[in-house]
Amino acid sequence: MSDYYKTAFDDVLKELKTTLDNGLTIESADRLLAEYGPNEIIERGIKNPWRILWEQFTATMVLILIIAAVISIFLGEIRDSIAIMVIVILNGLLGFQQEFKAEQAMAALKKMSVPTVKVRRDGHVQEISARLLVPGDIVILESGDLIPADCRLVETVNLRVQEAALTGESEPVDKDASFISSTDLPLGDRVNMVFLGTNVSYGRGLAVVTSTGMRTELGNIAELIQSAPREPTPLQRRLDQLGKGLALAALALVSIVFFLGLLRGEDIRLMFMTAISMAVAAVPEGLPAVVTITLALGAQRMLKRRALIRKLPAVETLGSVTVICSDKTGTLTENRMTVTVLDVAGYSINLIDDLAQIGSTKIVESTQDSLIEKISALNEKPGLILLLTGAALSNDAVLEVENNEIETIGDPTESALLVAAAQMGMVKDELEGVFRRVAEVPFDSERKRMSTIHKMPDAHTQVPKMLESVWDRKDLFKEASYIEFTKGAVDSLLQVSGYVWVNDHRESLDDKWKERISKSNDELAQDGMRVLGVSFRSMKDLPQDISEEQVERDLVFVGLVGMIDPARPEAREAVDKCKSAGIRPIMVTGDHPLTANYIAKELGITTGDVVVSGRQISALSSDELE
C-alpha cells in the first residue's frame, strides 16, 4: 500500500496492525524486522577488496601487458618481463588503494548517519536505533529530529518539516495529520506524510512508520540510481579501443613479417621469435602506469578540496562533462532565508546589496556607510521600526550574538527576521527586556499567522533610542498597557486588519490600500521572494480569552518583509566557468517556479522565463526529453 496519504490514519493503523497508545509488541517488531530487514539504504555498488583488486588487472591494456610479460619470459627476456610486471603491479596497487580507501570512507559515513528515535512499543516509550524500525512502529517527532523512515502522521502540533534534501523546497513544509487527498500528489504536497532524509524544524508530532529502508521514497531514489546501467568512462573506452587497436595492429604486423620471412626462405623458428619480439615492442608498457599515476594525483588534489573520488577514471570523466544538472537549495543557494526587502507605505529598503557586502550573519559595523544611512532613516520612518520590532518580537526563534557574529536556532524564516532586526540595531533579547511577552496565539497552517502580546514599558523603563520616535506617539500608546504583534501571510493579515500605518499615523484600511498592499506583495513574490506581513494593536487590558477571535482583530497593518534563500556568492563564478568551458548548467529544484527562475537568472543560468515543471517532464517521452 503506497497511497497512505490518501487514507485516514485510523485505517492506516488497522492496515499496519498497530495501535496509537501501545504501538507494536516486542514480538511483532522482532518478527517484522526479520521480514523487512534493517531500516537502512542498501548500497549495492559496494565491492569487496578482492573484487576491487581483480578489476585492476582485467582492463584490456593491462591484459595485453600481462601477455607481453609472459611471452618475454618464453623469449628469454627476463628483464623486460620483470619491468612489465612491475608496471602492472604498481598500476594495480595504485588503483586498488584509491578505490578501497574511498569505499571505507563511504562506509564510515554511513555508520555516522544512523540516528536514534523515540518509539512506542508495548505501551512504553523507548529510544532505539533507527535501523531497528519496522512498519507499524509509532514514533514521536520533536523539533530538531531527523525523520527516521517514511511515516503517516497521526497527530501534529504546529509541525513543520524541512524537506529540502528530498524536494528542493528551501522553506519548511507545514504538516497536517488530518489532510486526505483523493488525487495523486507529488511528494512535496503530501502534507500528512513525512519522509526519510528530512528533519523536523518546528513543532512536534506523532507518526506511524509505513515504509523502511529501500521501500522508502529515498530508498526508491537510491534503487533508481543503483539500477542504472554502469557505462565505462570516456577514458576507459578510449584505452580499451587503443588496446584492441594495438592488438589488431600488432597481430597484422606480426603476420605480415612472419609470412614474408617464410617466403624469403628464413628459418621458421627465427621468424616466429622475430614476430613475437615485434609484437611485444608494439605494446606501450608505460601507458597504463602514466594514466593511473596522473589520475591518482588528480584524485588527491580533489580530496584536498573535499571531493571524494571512489573510482580513479571518474577524475577524467569530470573533464568530459558537457551538461551539469545541479540542485538549487544548499548547492547554488545558501539554504538559509535572508531578508532582502523592508516595505512600508511610502518607503522601501532593499538590503540585498548591502548585506552581500558584509555577510548576512554579522552585526552591522560603523564602516558600512550605505547601511548606516538606511538605519538612520529608520528614525524618520517609524513604520520601519514597528515592522522590525514586530518581526523580532512575534518570533519563537532564538538569536545569540558573540564577537559580532550572529547564531540562530529555530525556523529559518523566523531566524532570518531576527537577523535582519539585529543588523538594524534591534536585538531580540534587548527588545524582550523592554516588551515582555505575556501571552500568545501560536501559528497554525489554516490562519497562516501567529500573534504575541507584550507588556508595554512603564515610565521608569529605559526604551532603546532606536524606538523612541515610535513610543513617544502618545495618541497611540498613552493609554496602552499592552501591545500585540501579529506576523503571517499578507492576505491572512489583511483579513484581520482594520487600519494601515502611513508614515507616522494610522489610516483606515480601505479597498485602495488593500489593492496597493496586495500589489506590493505580488511584485515581491514575482521576484522569487517569500513575503510576510506584520500588524500590531495597542491594548489597555488583556483579553480574558486569549484566542484568535479576541486577539487578532482591528489590527494596524504595518508593512511587508521580503526574503529569499540567496544565491551563494561563489555560485555565479562557478556558472560562468562552466559556460566558458562549454558546459551547460541546468538547475533542478522542487521550489516554486518564480523563485527558481529568479535564482537562475541571478546566477546567469538562464535569461528567459521558461521553467519546466516535474509533471511536464514526467509526461515527456524519452525522445521528447532528449
Side-chain angles (χ1 to χ4, degrees):
M1 186 177 186
S2 59
D3 53 356
Y4 290 105
Y5 68 96
K6 297 181 180 180
T7 311
F9 55 73
D10 287 337
D11 294 331
V12 174
L13 293 173
K14 189 180 298 182
E15 169 79 17
L16 296 172
K17 299 177 182 178
T18 186
T19 63
L20 193 57
D21 295 331
N22 296 315
L24 294 172
T25 64
I26 300 296
E27 292 77 14
S28 296
D30 290 341
R31 177 177 54 79
L32 290 169
L33 184 63
E35 178 181 348
Y36 290 101
N39 174 36
E40 59 185 4
I41 302 299
I42 300 171
E43 190 174 352
R44 296 189 176 90
I46 293 180
K47 306 171 187 174
N48 64 50
W50 290 110
R51 182 180 173 188
I52 296 173
L53 188 62
W54 170 257
E55 290 182 351
Q56 308 306 314
F57 296 99
T58 52
T60 303
M61 282 295 297
V62 177
L63 289 174
I64 290 175
L65 288 179
I66 293 172
I67 293 171
V70 172
I71 293 174
S72 296
I73 293 174
F74 283 105
L75 293 176
E77 302 291 340
I78 304 300
R79 289 182 179 180
D80 288 348
S81 176
I82 292 173
I84 294 173
M85 289 309 299
V86 167
I87 291 172
V88 169
I89 293 171
L90 177 63
N91 178 73
L93 291 178
L94 278 173
F96 172 81
Q97 180 192 33
Q98 174 66 29
E99 192 168 342
F100 181 64
K101 284 172 64 178
E103 294 285 355
Q104 286 183 314
M106 295 296 291
L109 286 173
K110 280 188 67 178
K111 288 180 181 178
M112 290 172 60
S113 64
V114 178
T116 57
V117 60
K118 291 178 182 176
V119 62
R120 187 175 291 164
R121 287 183 177 175
D122 274 338
H124 301 288
V125 175
Q126 51 186 285
E127 199 169 81
I128 64 172
S129 169
R131 293 183 72 255
L132 304 179
L133 282 180
V134 294
D137 266 326
I138 304 297
V139 297
I140 299 169
L141 304 174
E142 297 173 342
S143 181
D145 285 352
L146 294 173
I147 304 298
D150 286 3
C151 307
R152 170 66 161 89
L153 292 165
V154 293
E155 287 182 11
T156 54
V157 179
N158 299 326
L159 182 65
R160 294 184 191 174
V161 176
Q162 175 59 268
E163 296 184 338
L166 197 62
T167 67
E169 173 61 62
S170 59
E171 276 295 290
V173 179
D174 295 313
K175 294 296 182 176
D176 181 4
S178 62
F179 172 82
I180 296 177
S181 172
S182 58
T183 58
D184 291 331
L185 295 176
L187 289 183
D189 294 335
R190 300 177 187 178
V191 296
N192 57 8
M193 298 286 294
V194 289
F195 303 99
L196 175 66
T198 63
N199 63 280
V200 179
S201 63
Y202 189 83
R204 54 190 174 84
L206 204 62
V208 56
V209 176
T210 57
S211 305
T212 59
M214 296 299 288
R215 297 174 181 82
T216 62
E217 295 295 339
L218 194 64
N220 183 46
I221 293 173
E223 180 68 33
L224 289 173
I225 293 172
Q226 294 178 21
S227 62
R230 294 184 178 272
E231 297 182 359
T233 68
L235 178 63
Q236 287 174 320
R237 284 199 295 267
R238 287 196 287 268
L239 286 176
D240 192 56
Q241 290 169 358
L242 176 62
K244 291 176 180 177
L246 283 173
L248 291 174
L251 182 63
L253 181 63
V254 164
S255 300
I256 292 172
V257 170
F258 181 76
F259 286 112
L260 284 177
L262 291 181
L263 288 175
R264 289 182 58 185
E266 300 288 349
D267 181 69
I268 187 169
R269 185 176 183 280
L270 174 64
M271 292 313 304
F272 178 76
M273 297 296 289
T274 302
I276 293 298
S277 298
M278 292 180 65
V280 173
V283 177
E285 291 89 348
L287 180 60
V290 170
V291 170
T292 300
I293 291 171
T294 303
L295 294 180
L297 291 173
Q300 291 300 316
R301 289 183 63 186
M302 296 208 55
L303 189 60
K304 290 178 181 178
R305 299 187 181 191
R306 300 182 181 181
L308 181 64
I309 301 295
R310 296 182 67 177
K311 296 179 71 67
L312 280 180
V315 176
E316 184 272 341
T317 305
L318 290 173
S320 304
V321 167
T322 56
V323 176
I324 292 178
C325 292
S326 173
D327 176 39
K328 177 183 79 70
T329 306
T331 306
L332 298 175
T333 66
E334 297 181 4
N335 195 21
R336 176 181 46 77
M337 299 301 291
T338 300
V339 172
T340 57
V341 173
L342 303 175
D343 185 286
V344 296
Y347 195 81
S348 178
I349 291 183
N350 190 321
L351 303 175
I352 190 165
D353 295 330
D354 302 296
L355 297 184
Q357 294 170 10
I358 65 171
S360 55
T361 58
K362 288 186 180 290
I363 293 289
V364 173
E365 299 175 353
S366 59
T367 55
Q368 305 300 325
D369 296 334
S370 175
L371 264 178
I372 293 301
E373 289 177 9
K374 292 181 177 181
I375 293 171
S376 64
L378 295 182
N379 290 315
E380 302 171 10
K381 299 292 178 180
L384 288 172
I385 294 177
L386 277 171
L387 180 64
L388 287 170
T389 303
L393 288 174
S394 183
N395 197 311
D396 289 329
V398 177
L399 178 143
E400 296 178 357
V401 180
E402 185 175 349
N403 298 326
N404 207 41
E405 290 283 341
I406 297 175
E407 293 288 342
T408 58
I409 301 172
D411 178 83
T413 299
E414 294 199 323
S415 296
L417 296 174
L418 290 191
V419 171
Q423 287 167 333
M424 293 299 191
M426 284 171 275
V427 180
K428 182 183 179 183
D429 286 349
E430 296 175 4
L431 292 175
E432 288 185 329
V434 178
F435 302 96
R436 180 171 54 86
R437 185 188 294 195
V438 294
E440 64 183 276
V441 181
F443 175 89
D444 73 46
S445 55
E446 290 186 11
R447 290 171 27 253
K448 297 182 180 178
R449 57 182 183 262
M450 70 173 289
S451 298
T452 56
I453 301 175
H454 303 264
K455 187 78 171 67
M456 288 286 284
D458 57 33
H460 304 292
T461 304
Q462 180 65 41
V463 176
K465 188 174 181 60
M466 185 72 76
L467 308 182
E468 289 178 355
S469 61
V470 175
W471 311 121
D472 284 346
R473 287 300 313 274
K474 305 299 182 186
D475 56 328
L476 275 179
F477 305 113
K478 182 180 180 181
E479 302 295 331
S481 298
Y482 302 93
I483 185 168
E484 168 205 341
F485 286 106
T486 302
K487 169 183 102 265
V490 174
D491 55 350
S492 171
L493 284 184
L494 291 178
Q495 296 172 10
V496 292
S497 297
Y499 306 91
V500 60
W501 184 271
V502 183
N503 297 325
D504 60 353
H505 64 283
R506 69 180 188 182
E507 294 183 7
S508 177
L509 184 64
D510 55 21
D511 291 340
K512 180 181 177 182
W513 273 115
K514 286 183 179 180
E515 184 178 345
R516 286 182 61 180
I517 293 168
S518 297
K519 182 180 178 182
S520 296
N521 180 39
D522 293 341
E523 288 174 351
L524 292 175
Q526 286 172 2
D527 284 339
M529 296 187 192
R530 174 172 170 78
V531 187
L532 292 179
V534 174
S535 295
F536 80 95
R537 176 166 70 108
S538 56
M539 297 179 289
K540 186 174 182 179
D541 300 304
L542 274 179
Q544 291 184 348
D545 177 22
I546 305 297
S547 63
E548 58 181 276
E549 293 81 6
Q550 294 297 317
V551 172
E552 296 174 345
R553 59 184 178 85
D554 298 326
L555 304 180
V556 181
F557 186 87
V558 181
L560 312 173
V561 180
M563 62 192 83
I564 198 168
D565 179 11
R568 290 183 179 273
E570 64 272 20
R572 175 77 196 218
E573 182 183 355
V575 169
D576 289 341
K577 284 183 177 179
C578 285
K579 287 188 170 183
S580 65
I583 300 171
R584 180 190 174 197
I586 296 175
M587 187 171 74
V588 182
T589 178
D591 214 337
H592 193 283
L594 286 175
T595 304
N597 197 44
Y598 178 85
I599 294 294
K601 285 182 175 178
E602 185 180 351
L603 293 174
I605 292 175
T606 183
T607 55
D609 295 313
V610 178
V611 180
V612 184
S613 71
R615 289 184 178 180
Q616 288 174 302
I617 291 176
S618 298
L620 297 177
S621 66
S622 298
D623 292 337
E624 290 171 332
L625 182 60
E626 185 74 23

Coordinates of all heavy atoms in Angstrom, one line a residue, residues 459-499:
A459 N 6.9 54.1 32.8 CA 7.6 55.4 32.7 C 9.1 55.3 33.2 O 9.9 56.1 32.8 CB 6.9 56.4 33.6
H460 N 9.4 54.3 34.0 CA 10.8 54.1 34.5 C 11.7 53.2 33.7 O 12.8 53.1 33.9 CB 10.7 53.6 35.9 CG 9.9 54.4 36.9 ND1 10.2 55.6 37.3 CD2 8.7 54.1 37.4 CE1 9.3 56.1 38.1 NE2 8.3 55.2 38.2
T461 N 11.1 52.6 32.6 CA 11.8 51.7 31.8 C 12.6 52.4 30.7 O 12.0 53.3 30.0 CB 10.9 50.6 31.1 OG1 10.2 49.9 32.2 CG2 11.7 49.6 30.3
Q462 N 13.8 52.1 30.6 CA 14.7 52.8 29.5 C 14.4 52.1 28.2 O 14.6 51.0 28.0 CB 16.1 52.6 29.9 CG 17.1 53.2 28.9 CD 17.0 54.7 28.8 OE1 16.9 55.4 29.9 NE2 17.0 55.3 27.6
V463 N 13.8 52.9 27.3 CA 13.5 52.4 26.0 C 14.7 52.6 25.1 O 15.3 53.7 25.1 CB 12.2 53.2 25.4 CG1 11.9 52.7 24.0 CG2 11.0 53.0 26.3
P464 N 15.1 51.6 24.3 CA 16.2 51.8 23.3 C 16.0 53.0 22.5 O 14.9 53.3 22.0 CB 16.1 50.5 22.5 CG 15.5 49.5 23.4 CD 14.5 50.3 24.2
K465 N 17.1 53.8 22.2 CA 17.0 55.0 21.5 C 16.3 54.9 20.1 O 15.6 55.7 19.7 CB 18.4 55.6 21.3 CG 18.4 57.0 20.7 CD 19.8 57.6 20.8 CE 19.9 59.0 20.2 NZ 19.0 59.9 21.0
M466 N 16.6 53.7 19.5 CA 16.0 53.5 18.2 C 14.5 53.5 18.2 O 13.8 53.9 17.2 CB 16.5 52.1 17.6 CG 16.1 51.8 16.2 SD 16.9 52.7 15.0 CE 18.5 51.9 15.0
L467 N 13.9 53.2 19.4 CA 12.4 53.1 19.4 C 11.7 54.3 19.9 O 10.5 54.4 19.9 CB 12.1 51.9 20.4 CG 12.7 50.5 20.1 CD1 12.2 49.5 21.0 CD2 12.5 50.1 18.6
E468 N 12.5 55.3 20.3 CA 11.9 56.5 21.0 C 10.9 57.2 20.1 O 9.9 57.7 20.5 CB 13.0 57.4 21.5 CG 13.8 56.9 22.7 CD 14.9 57.9 23.1 OE1 15.1 58.9 22.3 OE2 15.5 57.6 24.1
S469 N 11.2 57.3 18.8 CA 10.4 58.0 17.9 C 9.0 57.4 17.7 O 8.1 58.1 17.3 CB 11.0 58.1 16.5 OG 11.3 56.8 15.9
V470 N 8.9 56.1 18.0 CA 7.6 55.4 17.9 C 6.9 55.5 19.2 O 5.7 55.9 19.3 CB 7.8 53.9 17.5 CG1 6.5 53.2 17.6 CG2 8.5 53.8 16.2
W471 N 7.5 55.2 20.3 CA 6.8 55.1 21.6 C 6.5 56.4 22.2 O 5.7 56.6 23.1 CB 7.6 54.2 22.6 CG 8.0 52.9 22.0 CD1 9.3 52.5 21.9 CD2 7.2 52.0 21.4 NE1 9.3 51.3 21.2 CE2 8.0 50.9 20.9 CE3 5.8 51.9 21.1 CZ2 7.5 49.8 20.2 CZ3 5.3 50.7 20.5 CH2 6.2 49.8 20.0
D472 N 7.0 57.5 21.6 CA 6.6 58.9 22.0 C 5.3 59.3 21.4 O 4.7 60.3 21.8 CB 7.7 59.9 21.6 CG 8.9 59.8 22.5 OD1 8.8 59.2 23.5 OD2 9.9 60.4 22.1
R473 N 4.7 58.4 20.6 CA 3.4 58.7 20.0 C 2.3 58.5 21.0 O 1.8 57.5 21.2 CB 3.1 57.8 18.8 CG 3.9 58.2 17.5 CD 3.7 59.6 17.1 NE 2.2 59.9 17.0 CZ 1.5 59.6 16.0 NH1 2.0 59.1 14.9 NH2 0.2 59.9 16.0
K474 N 2.0 59.6 21.8 CA 1.1 59.5 22.9 C -0.3 59.1 22.5 O -1.1 58.5 23.2 CB 1.1 60.8 23.7 CG 2.4 61.3 24.2 CD 3.1 60.3 25.1 CE 4.4 60.8 25.6 NZ 5.1 59.8 26.4
D475 N -0.7 59.6 21.2 CA -2.1 59.3 20.8 C -2.3 57.8 20.6 O -3.5 57.4 20.7 CB -2.4 60.1 19.5 CG -1.4 59.7 18.4 OD1 -0.2 59.4 18.8 OD2 -1.7 59.7 17.2
L476 N -1.3 57.1 20.3 CA -1.5 55.6 20.1 C -1.2 54.8 21.4 O -1.8 53.8 21.6 CB -0.6 55.1 19.0 CG -1.1 55.3 17.6 CD1 0.0 54.8 16.6 CD2 -2.4 54.6 17.3
F477 N -0.2 55.2 22.2 CA 0.3 54.4 23.2 C 0.1 54.9 24.6 O 0.5 54.3 25.6 CB 1.8 54.0 23.0 CG 2.0 53.5 21.6 CD1 2.7 54.2 20.7 CD2 1.5 52.2 21.3 CE1 3.0 53.6 19.4 CE2 1.8 51.7 20.0 CZ 2.5 52.4 19.1
K478 N -0.4 56.1 24.7 CA -0.5 56.8 26.1 C -1.4 55.9 27.0 O -1.0 55.7 28.2 CB -1.1 58.2 25.9 CG -1.3 58.9 27.3 CD -1.8 60.3 27.0 CE -2.0 61.0 28.4 NZ -2.5 62.4 28.2
E479 N -2.5 55.4 26.5 CA -3.4 54.7 27.4 C -3.2 53.2 27.3 O -3.8 52.4 28.0 CB -4.9 54.9 26.9 CG -5.3 56.4 27.0 CD -5.3 56.9 28.4 OE1 -5.5 56.1 29.3 OE2 -5.1 58.1 28.6
A480 N -2.2 52.7 26.5 CA -2.0 51.3 26.3 C -1.1 50.7 27.4 O -0.1 51.3 27.8 CB -1.3 51.1 24.9
S481 N -1.5 49.5 27.8 CA -0.7 48.8 28.8 C 0.0 47.6 28.1 O 0.9 47.0 28.6 CB -1.6 48.3 29.9 OG -2.1 49.3 30.6
Y482 N -0.6 47.2 26.9 CA -0.1 46.1 26.2 C -0.1 46.4 24.7 O -0.8 47.2 24.2 CB -1.0 44.8 26.4 CG -1.1 44.4 27.9 CD1 -2.2 44.9 28.6 CD2 -0.2 43.6 28.5 CE1 -2.3 44.6 30.0 CE2 -0.3 43.2 29.8 CZ -1.4 43.7 30.5 OH -1.5 43.4 31.9
I483 N 0.8 45.7 24.0 CA 0.8 45.8 22.6 C 0.9 44.4 22.0 O 1.6 43.5 22.5 CB 2.0 46.7 22.1 CG1 2.0 46.8 20.5 CG2 3.4 46.0 22.5 CD1 2.9 47.9 20.0
E484 N 0.2 44.2 20.9 CA 0.1 42.9 20.2 C 0.8 43.0 18.9 O 0.5 44.0 18.2 CB -1.3 42.4 20.1 CG -1.5 41.2 19.1 CD -2.9 41.2 18.5 OE1 -3.8 41.8 19.0 OE2 -3.0 40.5 17.4
F485 N 1.6 42.0 18.5 CA 2.2 42.0 17.2 C 1.7 40.7 16.5 O 1.8 39.6 17.2 CB 3.7 42.0 17.2 CG 4.3 43.4 17.5 CD1 4.8 43.6 18.8 CD2 4.2 44.4 16.6 CE1 5.3 44.9 19.1 CE2 4.7 45.6 16.9 CZ 5.3 45.9 18.1
T486 N 1.3 40.8 15.3 CA 0.9 39.6 14.5 C 1.7 39.5 13.2 O 1.8 40.5 12.5 CB -0.6 39.7 14.2 OG1 -1.4 39.8 15.4 CG2 -1.1 38.4 13.4
K487 N 2.2 38.4 13.0 CA 3.1 38.1 11.8 C 2.5 37.0 11.0 O 2.1 36.0 11.6 CB 4.5 37.8 12.3 CG 5.4 37.3 11.2 CD 6.8 37.0 11.9 CE 6.9 35.5 12.0 NZ 6.6 35.0 13.3
G488 N 2.5 37.1 9.7 CA 2.0 36.0 8.9 C 1.9 36.3 7.4 O 2.4 37.4 6.9
A489 N 1.1 35.5 6.7 CA 0.9 35.7 5.3 C 0.1 37.0 5.1 O -0.8 37.4 5.9 CB 0.1 34.6 4.6
V490 N 0.5 37.8 4.0 CA -0.1 39.1 3.8 C -1.6 39.0 3.7 O -2.4 39.8 4.3 CB 0.5 39.8 2.6 CG1 -0.2 41.1 2.3 CG2 2.0 40.0 2.9
D491 N -2.1 38.1 2.8 CA -3.6 38.0 2.6 C -4.3 37.7 3.9 O -5.4 38.1 4.2 CB -3.9 37.0 1.5 CG -3.3 35.6 1.8 OD1 -2.5 35.5 2.7 OD2 -3.7 34.7 1.1
S492 N -3.6 36.8 4.8 CA -4.2 36.5 6.0 C -4.3 37.7 7.0 O -5.3 37.9 7.7 CB -3.4 35.4 6.7 OG -3.8 35.1 8.0
L493 N -3.3 38.5 7.0 CA -3.3 39.7 7.9 C -4.3 40.7 7.4 O -4.9 41.4 8.3 CB -1.9 40.3 7.9 CG -0.8 39.6 8.7 CD1 0.5 40.5 8.7 CD2 -1.2 39.4 10.2
L494 N -4.4 40.9 6.1 CA -5.4 41.9 5.7 C -6.8 41.5 6.1 O -7.7 42.4 6.3 CB -5.4 42.0 4.1 CG -4.1 42.6 3.5 CD1 -4.1 42.6 2.0 CD2 -3.9 44.0 4.1
Q495 N -7.1 40.2 6.3 CA -8.4 39.8 6.8 C -8.8 40.3 8.2 O -9.9 40.5 8.5 CB -8.6 38.3 6.7 CG -8.4 37.7 5.3 CD -8.4 36.2 5.3 OE1 -8.6 35.5 6.4 NE2 -8.1 35.6 4.2
V496 N -7.7 40.5 9.0 CA -8.0 40.9 10.4 C -7.4 42.3 10.7 O -7.4 42.7 11.9 CB -7.3 39.8 11.4 CG1 -8.0 38.5 11.3 CG2 -5.8 39.7 11.1
S497 N -7.0 43.0 9.7 CA -6.6 44.4 9.9 C -7.6 45.4 9.5 O -8.3 45.2 8.5 CB -5.3 44.6 9.1 OG -4.2 43.8 9.6
G498 N -7.8 46.4 10.3 CA -8.8 47.5 10.0 C -8.1 48.8 9.7 O -8.8 49.7 9.2
Y499 N -6.8 48.9 9.9 CA -6.0 50.1 9.6 C -4.7 49.8 8.9 O -4.3 48.6 8.9 CB -5.8 50.9 11.0 CG -7.0 51.1 11.8 CD1 -7.4 50.2 12.8 CD2 -7.7 52.3 11.6 CE1 -8.5 50.4 13.5 CE2 -8.9 52.5 12.4 CZ -9.3 51.6 13.3 OH -10.4 51.8 14.1

